[in-house]
């Protein structure tokens, strides 16, 4: 549609302005004719017979490709094979059980599970998934390099360092972490748990359950745990890479 003065005959020298307004599903393309053009407006000086034409074109349609993943799925609302230029589409990600959503990739950005994109071209969108790392606390030291509950991309390697408190020393890593040196790397190819065993000045090894006294039983390195909070004794095998116990 063209808005403006609808008169067909104008006095010599009259300046008229017309505005091109596209209907729904159409874009304004260009003006044709003798006039001063500014975007979708044209200013015409009537010093002779003039003809002007506004050109419109149907809005293009674009495709949206959602990458498949074994770790979760992406849905689009509304769901369609193609979308009109400028159409808004809501994307929602659903990770599988035990998996966490990390971020969007491709032609979508953000880290919230539901986002809205504008279809201004063909788009490809994927979701990056990860696993949660749980850090078990200890009374005798901390693990640095991650915070319990952090989510890391699948396959990512996380560097962890055990820092003993004053009066304690590092003993060994446990859970899904291993090693008898204070630094280790854990690969996030599943939900992972990391803990560190620390030894205090009395030779007690602190775990997530409490502290224990380290003993040798028939040449096998084992640890008898005295749990003050439950009043029971439990036994667990120390990591195989621990060569010596005080």
């Amino acid at each position: 549609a063209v808005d403006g003065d609808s008169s067909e005959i104008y006095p010599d020298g009259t300046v008229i302005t017309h505005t091109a307004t596209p209907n729904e599903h159409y874009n304004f393309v260009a003006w044709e004719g003798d006039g001063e053009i500014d975007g979708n407006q044209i200013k015409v000086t009537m010093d002779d017979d003039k003809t002007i034409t506004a050109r419109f074109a149907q809005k293009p349609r674009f495709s949206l490709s959602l990458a498949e993943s074994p770790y979760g799925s992406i849905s689009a609302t509304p769901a369609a094979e193609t979308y009109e230029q400028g159409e808004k589409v809501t994307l929602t990600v659903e990770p599988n059980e035990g998996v966490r959503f990390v971020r969007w990739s491709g032609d979508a950005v953000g880290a919230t599970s539901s986002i809205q994109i504008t279809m201004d071209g063909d788009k490809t969108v994927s979701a990056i998934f990860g696993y949660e790392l749980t850090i078990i606390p200890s009374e005798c030291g901390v693990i640095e390099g991650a915070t319990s509950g952090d989510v890391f991309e699948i396959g990512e390697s996380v560097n962890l360092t055990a820092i003993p408190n004053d009066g304690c020393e590092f003993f060994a890593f446990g859970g899904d972490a291993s090693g008898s040196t204070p630094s280790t790397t854990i690969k996030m190819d599943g939900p992972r748990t990391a803990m560190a065993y620390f030894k205090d000045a009395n030779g007690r090894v602190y775990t997530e359950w409490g502290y224990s006294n380290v003993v040798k039983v028939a040449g096998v390195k084992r640890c008898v745990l005295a749990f003050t909070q439950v009043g029971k004794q439990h036994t667990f095998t120390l990591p195989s890479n621990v060569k010596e116990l005080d």
Side-chain angles (χ1 to χ4, degrees):
V2 178
D3 299 328
D5 193 335
S6 60
S7 299
E8 296 183 358
I9 300 176
Y10 302 92
D12 184 38
T14 300
V15 177
I16 58 175
T17 299
H18 286 288
T19 302
T21 304
N23 295 334
E24 188 179 7
H25 308 304
Y26 285 84
N27 289 326
F28 167 70
V29 177
W31 284 104
E32 293 180 359
D34 184 8
E36 182 181 337
I37 299 173
D38 181 14
N40 67 333
Q41 290 189 332
I42 186 169
K43 186 181 293 184
V44 180
T45 300
M46 297 302 296
D47 52 8
D48 200 349
D49 293 338
K50 300 289 179 73
T51 299
I52 58 172
T53 303
R55 297 295 183 188
F56 300 92
Q58 191 169 13
K59 289 182 178 181
R61 299 187 68 85
F62 300 115
S63 64
L64 174 60
S65 176
L66 303 178
E68 295 184 356
S69 170
Y71 304 107
S73 61
I74 305 172
S75 60
T77 305
E81 292 185 2
T82 61
Y83 297 89
E84 188 176 82
Q85 180 189 44
E87 189 172 354
K88 306 291 185 181
V89 182
T90 299
L91 302 179
T92 303
V93 62
E94 289 288 345
N96 295 343
E97 184 177 359
V99 180
R100 299 290 184 266
F101 169 68
V102 178
R103 60 182 174 85
W104 295 99
S105 183
D107 293 311
V109 296
T112 57
S113 60
S114 183
I115 61 169
Q116 189 177 77
I117 62 172
T118 301
M119 295 300 296
D120 51 8
D122 293 332
K123 293 186 181 294
T124 299
V125 175
S126 59
I128 304 299
F129 297 96
Y131 290 113
E132 184 175 334
L133 175 61
T134 301
I135 304 292
I136 303 298
S138 170
E139 296 180 16
C140 212
V142 297
I143 295 178
E144 295 185 347
T147 301
S148 188
D150 285 349
V151 175
F152 296 91
E153 293 183 18
I154 293 173
E156 185 174 354
S157 294
V158 183
N159 297 319
L160 302 176
T161 303
I163 308 295
N165 296 339
D166 291 340
C168 297
E169 62 178 287
F170 172 74
F171 187 70
F173 280 103
D176 294 309
S178 62
S180 56
T181 60
S183 295
T184 191
T185 300
I186 189 169
K187 188 173 183 181
M188 299 302 295
D189 48 9
R192 292 291 176 255
T193 299
M195 65 184 74
Y197 303 111
F198 297 95
K199 185 169 60 175
D200 67 11
N202 297 318
R204 297 180 300 187
V205 175
Y206 282 77
T207 72
E208 72 274 27
W209 306 287
Y211 65 83
S212 66
N213 295 314
V214 179
V215 297
K216 290 183 178 179
V217 179
V220 179
K221 303 179 184 69
R222 298 183 70 82
C223 187
V224 179
L225 304 183
F227 298 116
T228 57
Q229 57 267 63
V230 295
K232 295 181 180 180
Q233 285 192 338
H234 297 268
T235 302
F236 75 95
T237 301
L238 292 172
S240 60
N241 56 357
V242 177
K243 302 301 182 184
E244 206 172 288
L245 301 178
D246 293 337

